């Protein structure tokens, strides 16, 4: 059974003429133990999709099943508990609580499960140990390097042994060494059987993924399986254009990427005209067919 | 769901500590309210106890005849007339009349000298009252002489009994017995010194420790017709005779005053009622002020918590992302408000207890430790924390996790 099943999900912000369509009838099915990289320019709906999958946000339309369980009918409380037990978040900005030590930050999700202080600190300590941050347990986040901070955030995401890890540009604020460290860590977690969804601007990082989903204007425009250890074929085409050093480079890389994606600006793609908003048509059908195509 | 646990309190204390000065300023209102309420109630109770003790010391069977007509229940007028003992309605004839009644064991007048000039070796001494009375005053007050003896009974004698405070003021640490001083030029011989009087604050009685007692007959020879009798104290032969003695005094004096009742006959329970009424009134007024301080303190807490919630929107987002339910967020912020207000309450109690000790050490007040009031004040600060913390905490709990995460 698929761990994540999204059917015709839309997310619309605002009212009347000022509405923004963040997600436009998206369909996505993710199997257990997939490592999905999600790429796309800013405003393409990646983060909204992650928020919906992470049960932080409610979609305007559509159904979302997590492990076969329908999410949209759940109460606030049940959603919080599902989020706590099934999903671990890793953010670009680390999002550790500044006043808590590393140990307490990592133990935080356990507190909401009602574990005693001793038990949760013990569990957090062994998790920190596992990720090689043992001697930093009692440091405050501001005394850690970027890589260490993100490692602590990953430890926090893992502490409840979630089945899904959602990483929103986990290396966005890190230098290349720390980035590699974090990606190796995610890769290890993936090997242990956890499903990982990672938003990234860096095509290089698709090496660690088993599947790459490309988004634009709230739609999935391309979806391809890729071999571990190799940059995804579509992303690789874009890499030939530009070096990826900084975030600006990354963004430029995404633009380049969009040019080579089938369904992007590429003249090869017969449906490229859809990109222009003036000729907007119902897209769900074609998007869906494309996802299906990518899977097969 | 588990109720508030120690961990919750720890988390709350930690985040309050991170903005220490703001937290301290915020709980100031609660501290003031609680300490004021407890202090006032303890002083009030203490005064009531002291007055009751005083009454018990003198004896509950003491009857007081005053030269004005008082409504014993009207405390304020009792105090006002107390300060103006100018009326001339009681005379030495009245005293003799009362002494002649059956069931009267002792009767002694108290006649206050108007602005006496007291000199020792030509040095004027101030701060001492001079009271004319008879030897009956000693048994009436259940008093005894520490040194010397009471007035010479043979004819007019220019002698005096001193209260301990008066003795110190006149002669310092020297032995007072046998020494002389002058009142309005008249030389007076110190014949006795009384034991220390128990004196209650806010009591409507004189402080007898600072009094020079002179023979009643000497008053008129010193001040002529200006001398007035301030009150006549009467002790019946047995406590059971109080009622009959009171009515006898009333009827015979009314008759002697030509059918006009221009005096009042008070029992000890009347003066207790009077002082209790004043003390209770004051206690209620100040307790109300303390209640307002508590309310304002509660609003301060609400204000700080609202600021805290909007400052920590990002933290709320993170906590929700790692699985906190709305109720858990609510509990966290409610706990902070409660910890704030209860610690304000506890600090208030500690300050009140310190004030209590200081009052006992440095004043004549003997405040009680009113445990029910302390429990009430602490409970009230808890309730204030819950009531005024609820709105900010609910606001925190309702925050949309995505907006909150974006807020970082």
């Amino acid at each position: 059974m698929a761990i994540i099943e999204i059917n015709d999900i839309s997310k619309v912000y605002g009212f009347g003429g000022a509405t923004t369509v963040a997600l436009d009838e998206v369909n996505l099915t993710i199997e257990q133990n997939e490592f999905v990289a999600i790429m796309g320019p800013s405003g393409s709906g990646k983060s909204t999709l992650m928020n919906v999958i992470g049960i932080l946000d409610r979609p305007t339309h559509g159904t979302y099943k997590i492990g076969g369980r329908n999410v949209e009918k759940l109460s606030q409380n049940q959603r919080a508990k599902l989020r706590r037990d099934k999903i671990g978040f890793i953010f670009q900005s680390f999002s550790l609580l500044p006043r808590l030590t590393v140990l307490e930050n990592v133990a935080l999700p356990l507190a909401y499960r009602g574990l005693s202080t001793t038990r949760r600190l013990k569990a957090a300590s062994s998790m920190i140990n596992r990720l090689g941050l043992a001697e930093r347990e009692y440091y405050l986040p501001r005394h850690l390097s970027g890589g260490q901070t993100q490692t602590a955030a990953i430890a926090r995401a893992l502490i409840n042994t979630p089945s899904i890890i959602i990483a929103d540009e986990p290396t966005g604020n890190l230098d290349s060494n720390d980035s590699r460290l974090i990606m190796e860590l995610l890769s290890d977690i993936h090997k242990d059987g956890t499903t990982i969804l990672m938003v990234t601007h860096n095509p290089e990082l698709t090496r660690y993924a088993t599947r790459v989903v490309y988004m634009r204007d709230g739609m999935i425009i391309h979806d391809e399986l890729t071999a571990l250890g190799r940059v995804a074929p579509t992303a690789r085409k874009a890499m030939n254009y530009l070096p990826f050093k900084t975030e600006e480079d990354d963004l430029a890389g995404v633009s380049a990427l969009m040019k080579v994606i089938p369904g992007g600006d590429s003249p090869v793609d017969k449906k490229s005209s859809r990109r222009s908003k003036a000729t907007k048509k119902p897209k769900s059908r074609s998007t869906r067919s494309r996802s299906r195509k990518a899977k097969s | 769901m588990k109720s508030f646990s120690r961990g919750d309190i720890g988390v709350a204390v930690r985040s309050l500590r991170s903005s220490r000065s703001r937290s301290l300023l915020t709980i100031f209102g609660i501290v003031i309210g609680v300490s004021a309420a407890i202090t006032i109630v303890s002083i009030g109770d203490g005064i009531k106890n002291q007055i009751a003790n005083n009454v018990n010391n003198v004896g509950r069977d003491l009857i007081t005849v005053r030269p004005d007509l008082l409504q014993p229940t009207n405390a304020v007028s009792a105090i006002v007339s107390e300060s103006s003992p100018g009326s001339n309605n009681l005379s030495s004839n009245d005293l003799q009349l009362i002494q002649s009644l059956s069931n009267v064991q002792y009767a002694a007048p108290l006649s206050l000298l108007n602005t006496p000039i007291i000199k020792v070796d030509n040095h004027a001494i101030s701060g001492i009252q001079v009271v004319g009375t008879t030897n009956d005053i000693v048994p009436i007050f259940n008093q005894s002489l520490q040194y010397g003896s009471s007035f010479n009974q043979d004819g007019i004698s220019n002698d005096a009994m001193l209260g301990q405070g008066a003795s110190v003021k006149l002669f310092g640490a020297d032995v007072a017995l046998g020494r002389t001083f002058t009142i309005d030029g008249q030389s007076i011989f110190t014949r006795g010194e009384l034991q220390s009087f128990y004196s209650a604050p806010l009591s409507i009685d004189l402080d007898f420790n600072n009094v020079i007692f002179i023979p009643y007959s000497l008053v008129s020879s010193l001040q002529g017709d200006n001398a007035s009798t301030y009150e006549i104290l009467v002790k019946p032969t047995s406590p059971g005779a109080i009622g009959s003695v009171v009515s006898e005094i009333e009827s015979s004096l009314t008759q002697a005053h030509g059918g006009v009742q221009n005096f009042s006959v008070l029992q000890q329970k009347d003066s207790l009622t009077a002082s209790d009424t004043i003390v209770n009134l004051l206690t209620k007024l100040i307790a109300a002020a303390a209640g307002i301080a508590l309310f304002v303190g509660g609003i301060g807490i609400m204000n700080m918590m609202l600021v805290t919630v909007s400052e920590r929107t990002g933290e709320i987002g993170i906590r929700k992302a790692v699985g906190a339910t709305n109720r858990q967020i609510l509990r966290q912020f409610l706990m902070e408000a409660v910890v704030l207000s209860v610690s304000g309450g506890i600090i208030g109690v500690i300050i009140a207890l310190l004030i209590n000790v200081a009052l006992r050490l440095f004043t004549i007040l003997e405040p009680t430790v009113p445990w029910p009031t302390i429990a009430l004040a602490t409970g009230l600060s808890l309730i204030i924390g819950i009531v005024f913390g609820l709105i900010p905490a609910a606001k925190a709990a309702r925050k949309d996790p995505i907006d909150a995460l974006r807020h970082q």
Side-chain angles (χ1 to χ4, degrees), chain B residues 295-317:
Chain B
F295 183 78
V296 173
I299 290 174
I301 285 179
M302 180 149 88
N303 188 25
M304 166 169 171
M305 288 312 296
L306 284 171
V307 171
T308 303
V309 166
S310 63
E311 265 182 5
R312 282 158 61 189
T313 303
E315 176 187 330
I316 295 167

Side-chain angles (χ1 to χ4, degrees), chain A residues 152-288:
Chain A
I154 291 174
R156 183 181 66 188
L158 290 177
I159 193 80
N160 269 331
T161 53
S163 37
I164 304 161
I165 291 278
I166 293 177
D168 197 347
E169 296 192 53
T171 61
N173 284 351
L174 300 178
D175 62 27
S176 57
N177 275 333
D178 281 342
S179 290
R180 194 170 305 121
L181 184 106
I182 293 303
M183 287 316 297
E184 293 298 338
L185 203 51
L186 285 177
S187 182
D188 288 345
I189 296 162
H190 173 232
K191 276 180 200 137
D192 291 344
T194 310
T195 310
I196 297 181
L197 275 80
M198 177 183 72
V199 170
T200 183
H201 279 134
N202 188 347
E204 185 74 44
L205 299 186
T206 58
R207 273 181 207 288
Y208 299 93
T210 58
R211 180 175 167 190
V212 185
V213 171
Y214 302 89
M215 289 188 74
R216 162 153 243 156
D217 295 335
M219 290 175 293
I220 292 174
I221 49 172
H222 189 60
D223 186 347
E224 64 184 358
L225 296 176
T226 163
L228 267 177
R230 305 190 61 176
V231 176
T234 316
R236 190 166 55 234
K237 286 185 201 161
M239 276 176 67
N240 295 332
Y241 291 99
L242 284 159
F244 300 100
K245 290 268 159 29
T246 63
E247 196 177 351
E248 284 74 28
D249 289 343
D250 284 353
L251 291 172
V254 170
S255 316
L257 190 65
M258 286 303 134
K259 289 204 180 70
V260 297
I261 291 174
D265 249 357
S266 160
V268 204
D269 190 76
K270 56 187 179 216
K271 288 164 192 157
S272 61
S273 61
R274 194 180 300 114
R275 268 202 69 241
S276 103
K277 284 208 169 119
T279 57
K280 211 166 181 179
K281 282 184 222 154
K283 296 151 199 167
S284 56
R285 193 166 41 83
S286 55
T287 316
R288 211 178 296 145

Side-chain angles (χ1 to χ4, degrees), chain A residues 57 77 83 95 104 112, chain B residues 14 319-320 325 402 408:
Chain A
D57 208 351
N77 219 5
R83 183 159 67 227
S95 297
E104 289 163 325
Y112 293 120
Chain B
R14 277 268 286 286
R319 286 180 183 271
K320 284 198 164 184
T325 61
I402 297 160
Q408 288 181 69

Side-chain angles (χ1 to χ4, degrees), chain B residues 53-349:
Chain B
N53 274 344
N54 205 14
V55 167
N56 287 337
N57 261 14
V58 177
R60 291 191 161 271
D61 51 354
L62 191 71
I63 298 164
T64 310
V65 184
R66 287 262 167 84
D68 331 83
L69 188 61
L70 298 179
Q71 272 77 47
T73 48
N74 190 337
V76 177
S77 77
I79 289 296
V80 168
S81 66
E82 172 71 24
S83 59
S84 58
S87 49
N88 245 329
N89 292 335
L90 292 178
S91 64
S92 53
N93 293 336
D94 295 330
L95 175 65
Q96 280 160 18
L97 193 63
I98 291 170
Q99 277 168 335
S100 69
L101 293 172
S102 59
N103 289 332
V104 170
Q105 194 181 8
Y106 301 110
L110 291 181
S111 178
L112 205 60
L113 245 63
N114 290 325
T115 58
I117 299 158
I118 304 158
K119 284 184 176 169
V120 179
D121 300 336
N122 268 337
H123 291 290
I125 311 277
S126 62
I128 303 177
Q129 304 272 20
V130 179
V131 169
T133 185
T134 65
N135 279 335
D136 275 4
I137 196 72
V138 181
I140 280 176
F141 280 151
N142 284 340
Q143 257 285 357
S144 59
L145 287 152
Q146 194 173 17
Y147 308 111
S149 62
S150 46
F151 305 133
N152 190 352
Q153 296 284 46
D154 311 326
I156 295 175
S157 57
N158 297 337
D159 51 8
M161 291 185 283
L162 305 184
Q164 300 218 319
S167 164
V168 169
K169 277 186 182 150
L170 287 174
F171 305 113
D174 295 353
V175 177
L177 223 56
R179 296 192 60 168
T180 54
F181 57 95
T182 62
I183 299 176
D184 294 349
Q186 170 79 53
S187 175
I188 309 276
F189 172 76
T190 308
R191 190 172 291 275
E193 194 173 329
L194 290 157
Q195 298 273 13
S196 173
F197 282 88
Y198 182 88
S199 119
L202 253 193
S203 149
I204 54 174
D205 291 318
L206 286 171
D207 176 11
F208 291 111
N209 283 321
N210 271 320
V211 162
I212 298 170
F213 292 97
I214 58 171
Y216 188 48
S217 49
L218 196 56
V219 174
S220 50
S221 76
L222 280 174
Q223 296 207 327
D225 291 341
N226 282 337
S228 63
T229 302
Y230 156 65
E231 62 186 15
I232 298 174
L233 299 174
V234 182
K235 205 152 210 181
T237 46
S238 71
I242 293 179
S244 65
V245 170
V246 166
S247 54
E248 273 183 60
I249 293 172
E250 278 184 346
S251 60
S252 59
L253 279 191
T254 308
Q255 205 180 358
H257 288 198
V260 187
Q261 194 183 355
N262 51 5
F263 59 91
S264 42
V265 184
L266 304 173
Q267 299 175 39
Q268 284 294 62
K269 64 175 180 5
D270 297 331
S271 74
L272 267 187
T273 316
S275 52
D276 278 10
T277 313
I278 299 167
V279 170
N280 285 342
L281 188 72
L282 285 177
T283 307
K284 272 181 206 156
L285 277 176
I286 299 176
I292 292 170
L294 281 178
F295 183 78
V296 173
I299 290 174
I301 285 179
M302 180 149 88
N303 188 25
M304 166 169 171
M305 288 312 296
L306 284 171
V307 171
T308 303
V309 166
S310 63
E311 265 182 5
R312 282 158 61 189
T313 303
E315 176 187 330
I316 295 167
I318 295 169
R319 286 180 183 271
K320 284 198 164 184
V322 301
T325 61
N326 285 2
R327 189 187 288 189
Q328 284 164 329
I329 297 287
L330 181 110
R331 215 169 74 169
Q332 183 197 344
F333 283 92
L334 195 56
M335 196 66 207
E336 268 182 44
V338 167
V339 165
L340 258 186
S341 67
V342 170
S343 55
I346 290 171
I347 294 172
V349 168

Side-chain angles (χ1 to χ4, degrees), chain A residues 13 51 56-57 76-77 80-81 83-84 89 91 93 95-97 99-101 104 108-109 111-115 117 156 160, chain B residues 2 7 11 14-15 18 312 314-329 332 400-402 405-406 408:
Chain A
Y13 292 108
N51 288 339
L56 283 170
D57 208 351
Q76 285 268 21
N77 219 5
K81 281 177 183 157
R83 183 159 67 227
R84 180 189 74 199
F89 284 95
F91 301 97
S93 53
S95 297
L96 296 179
L97 295 184
R99 280 190 299 271
L100 302 187
T101 63
E104 289 163 325
L108 193 62
Y112 293 120
R113 249 170 58 183
L115 264 68
T117 313
R156 183 181 66 188
N160 269 331
Chain B
K2 274 195 295 179
V11 169
R14 277 268 286 286
S15 52
S18 65
R312 282 158 61 189
E315 176 187 330
I316 295 167
I318 295 169
R319 286 180 183 271
K320 284 198 164 184
V322 301
T325 61
N326 285 2
R327 189 187 288 189
Q328 284 164 329
I329 297 287
Q332 183 197 344
D400 181 12
I402 297 160
L405 278 170
R406 209 173 284 140
Q408 288 181 69

